[in-house]
Each structure stands twice: as structure tokens, then as C-alpha cells.
Amino acid sequence: MVLTPGPNMIYLVSRSISQGRRAGLISLAGVFLGFLVYLVAVSAGIATVFALVPEIYLAIKLAGAGYLLRLAWKAVRPGGWSPLATEELTPDGPRKLFLVGFLTCLLNPKVAILYISLLPQFVDPERGHVGAQGLLLGLVQIAVGVAGNAFFIVTAGSVAGFFARHPLWQRLHRYVMGTALAGFAVKIATERTEAAVALR
């Protein structure tokens, strides 16, 4: 999930390339807070709301799939955009970097689906307190997500330089990224996944 291109990766990488690693890491702190908000929300019982009112879950799922399709089209269309392409962006201050990172994570359909429908499926009531299990799973996911995104931030400049010198590879990356996003969007939209019972 971390390696699949998505809104978090796109924002963090593009900001790191245009404004430096420090800006990328500040943005990552906002993403980290977004992860924590999802974990707390699931632990508080938001999954039960989706189980009781599946229409809300379906609407969020379809909206997320639509957003991923939009990102996919931006990548594969003629003259498309890659998060690893070097470009000039207006520098943002630390507060805005943190806030945009936070909001990007909160509005990321991949993260929403992960916390609402995927992680609870790995909770086994026979193994003890389900709330503690859910919290531990969420913290492991956060650790993996933050470490993976930090790696992308640190290496983004070097990779962007390589792509700038090799436009064919940049074009290939765009198509691979667009295809992955489109495939993930179709899977989200068509998968019959019931909202999981809230962790208690």
C-alpha cells in the first residue's frame, strides 16, 4: 500500500523536489497526524457507522475511486504530469506545509479504505482485546507508512534528476503510475467490501 503511488506520495515527493527535504519532512509530520486521526476514529467506532449506513461508505469509496482515476488521467494524458518531474512551485511556510500534508492524508481514499475496511479484518477476538489489536495494527501501519514516505522524500531529488536526464524513463514512470492508480481505483469501485465492525 505504501509503495502504490497516491496523493500522499505525490504531494510529499513534489514538495520535497521543489522546496527541499526539510519541507518534505514537515509535510510528512502532517501526514503522520492524519494517520493518527484515522486510527483514533476507527477505534472510536466510525466503522460501525459505515456498517449501519452502507450508503455513506459506498459514497466515500466511489469518491475515492474517482479521485484516483483523475490522478491516473493526469499521469497518462498527452503531456501528463509526474510527481518526480522537476518544476517550480511556490514555496510554502512550515505551517502550510504541515496543514496541507495533514489534509492530503485525511482526504486520501487509500488511507480511508485501509483503516475502515482492511485493518479490522485482521483483528481476531479470540486473540484478546480487539481494541488493543486494532491499535497495534494501526501503529505498525503508521510506522511503515512514515518510514516509506521518508525514504521517498530523501531520495526524491536524486530520482528526479535521473528522470530529468532520461525523459523516456520519466514517460514510462508516468504510464506505470497511471496504470497502477487506475487499477486501484477500479478495484476500489468494484470490490464488494462490507464495512467492518468497529474496534472496541
Side-chain angles (χ1 to χ4, degrees), residues 4 8 42 53 59 74 80 91 94 99 115 119 149 161 178 195:
T4 305
N8 286 352
V42 170
V53 189
K74 286 178 66 176
L99 180 60
Y115 277 92
L119 282 185
N149 282 308

Side-chain angles (χ1 to χ4, degrees), residues 12 17 19-20 36 44 53 57 64 67 82 91 99 101 114 144 170 197-198:
L12 293 172
I17 291 173
Q19 204 171 333
L36 289 180
V53 189
Y57 176 72
Y67 182 66
S82 167
L99 180 60
L114 173 72
V144 172
Q170 185 176 119
V197 177

Side-chain angles (χ1 to χ4, degrees), residues 131-149:
Q133 290 183 57
L135 182 63
L136 180 60
L137 283 170
L139 291 175
V140 169
Q141 184 279 326
I142 290 173
V144 172
V146 170
N149 282 308

Side-chain angles (χ1 to χ4, degrees), residues 47-61 193-195:
T48 300
V49 175
F50 291 110
L52 295 174
V53 189
E55 293 81 7
I56 296 176
Y57 176 72
L58 178 62
I60 291 176
K61 185 171 76 165
T193 306
E194 296 182 1

